[in-house]
Amino acid sequence: IFFRLGMNLNLRDEEEEPLPFEGIDKATTLHESKAFNQSTLDAKKCKSTLIKVLYLLAMGETFAATEATELFFNTTKLLQSQDVSLRRLVYIMVKELSTCAEHVFVASNTLCKDMNSTNDMYKANSIRALRKITDTSMLGPIERYLAQAVVDKADIVSSAAIVTGIHLSATHPELVKRWGGEVGEALKQRGVMAQYHALALLHKLRKNDKLSVSKLVQSVNTTPIRSPMALCLLIR
């Protein structure tokens, strides 16, 4: 009896515990985002607002084009902050808002600067975000930076660039094929995750040519496979 009573009390406590983001209002959150324009940023407050917006988006809240666009460009102003966790949220926001905001390609120059940063986290995240906002006509100027990133010494940067290549290969296969040498080098000399992504990209570019796939498998057999996922992909 006492056990059942205890279970009932625990269930009641769990049911009464409020959700952390319960009652968040879109209008209030958008008003809070005005703080992104302040000359002196409150990193903690900005992070709280970004998390609220991401929560609203995850819950299916819709933003009008004007709302999303204003929020997008206000968010990019936070890239001046050196707070690592805040910057990480900014990159996520840029990607999430890229589908509903207008003229997002304008922020490409800012992200290109981060691609040349000495901070590997900034470089990797800017590459991921850049793919979502870059206009087709702007791929040419950034192709060189992406190819260099494929062979970056930092595995996280190399992996981000290769995954970007995987996505771009669906619409611009000829552009990505020009990175063949760099991707091959990443397959042989980079870390576990980059090796897996490099093999995935090479296979995607050759999957319609059985002879080319066969040659890829033969060449990979002479390469030490450090990645379990790459080994699974090779077996497939």
Side-chain angles (χ1 to χ4, degrees):
I1 294 175
F2 287 112
F3 175 76
R4 291 179 181 177
L5 180 59
M7 287 289 291
N8 290 334
L9 289 173
N10 288 335
L11 288 173
R12 193 177 303 155
D13 289 341
E14 291 177 3
E15 291 172 356
E16 292 176 355
E17 184 177 349
L19 296 172
F21 298 110
E22 188 175 7
I24 288 180
D25 178 65
K26 183 179 77 169
T28 303
T29 304
L30 287 174
H31 179 72
E32 291 176 358
S33 69
K34 303 292 184 183
F36 299 169
N37 293 316
Q38 295 179 357
S39 56
T40 303
L41 295 173
D42 184 337
K44 185 176 180 180
K45 184 177 181 181
C46 290
K47 283 185 279 189
S48 176
T49 302
L50 289 173
I51 291 172
K52 289 178 183 178
V53 175
L54 290 171
Y55 171 78
L56 289 172
L57 289 169
M59 291 296 102
E61 184 71 58
T62 57
F63 288 79
T66 52
E67 293 174 334
T69 302
E70 182 180 3
L71 182 58
F72 177 87
F73 286 104
N74 284 343
T75 300
T76 59
K77 294 176 182 178
L78 297 178
L79 289 171
Q80 62 183 301
S81 172
Q82 296 304 310
D83 186 293
V84 176
S85 57
L86 176 59
R87 290 280 287 260
R88 186 179 290 113
L89 285 169
V90 170
Y91 293 121
I92 295 173
M93 276 283 289
V94 166
K95 290 190 291 184
E96 292 298 320
L97 291 173
S98 64
T99 58
C100 52
E102 299 176 336
H103 311 300
V104 294
F105 62 88
V106 175
S108 297
N109 289 335
T110 302
L111 292 176
C112 283
K113 292 179 182 178
D114 280 357
M115 283 181 63
N116 296 312
S117 170
T118 55
N119 186 307
D120 292 334
M121 190 277 287
Y122 294 170
K123 291 172 69 174
N125 284 326
S126 64
I127 289 171
R128 296 187 185 101
L130 198 59
R131 178 188 67 83
K132 297 283 288 186
I133 69 170
T134 300
D135 185 78
T136 302
S137 62
M138 300 181 67
L139 284 175
I142 68 171
E143 179 189 358
R144 178 171 60 89
Y145 295 108
L146 291 173
Q148 290 175 349
V150 169
V151 291
D152 194 278
K153 293 180 180 179
D155 197 37
I156 185 176
V157 177
S158 177
S159 182
I162 297 170
V163 171
T164 295
I166 292 174
H167 289 291
L168 289 175
S169 64
T171 53
H172 301 82
E174 294 304 319
L175 181 147
V176 179
K177 283 180 181 179
R178 294 199 288 265
W179 309 352
E182 288 83 357
V183 178
E185 182 179 339
L187 178 65
K188 295 177 182 178
Q189 300 181 9
R190 293 300 175 266
V192 172
M193 188 57 67
Q195 186 178 57
Y196 166 64
H197 288 145
L199 182 59
L201 176 55
L202 290 173
H203 174 257
K204 186 172 184 180
L205 292 173
R206 306 182 187 194
K207 66 180 181 179
N208 294 324
D209 186 339
K210 292 184 177 180
L211 179 60
S212 183
V213 171
S214 178
K215 290 181 179 180
L216 173 62
V217 173
Q218 292 176 5
S219 65
V220 173
N221 282 333
T222 63
T223 302
I225 300 297
R226 301 176 298 279
S227 167
M229 291 183 291
L231 183 58
C232 290
L233 181 59
L234 181 61
I235 294 171
R236 287 177 60 193

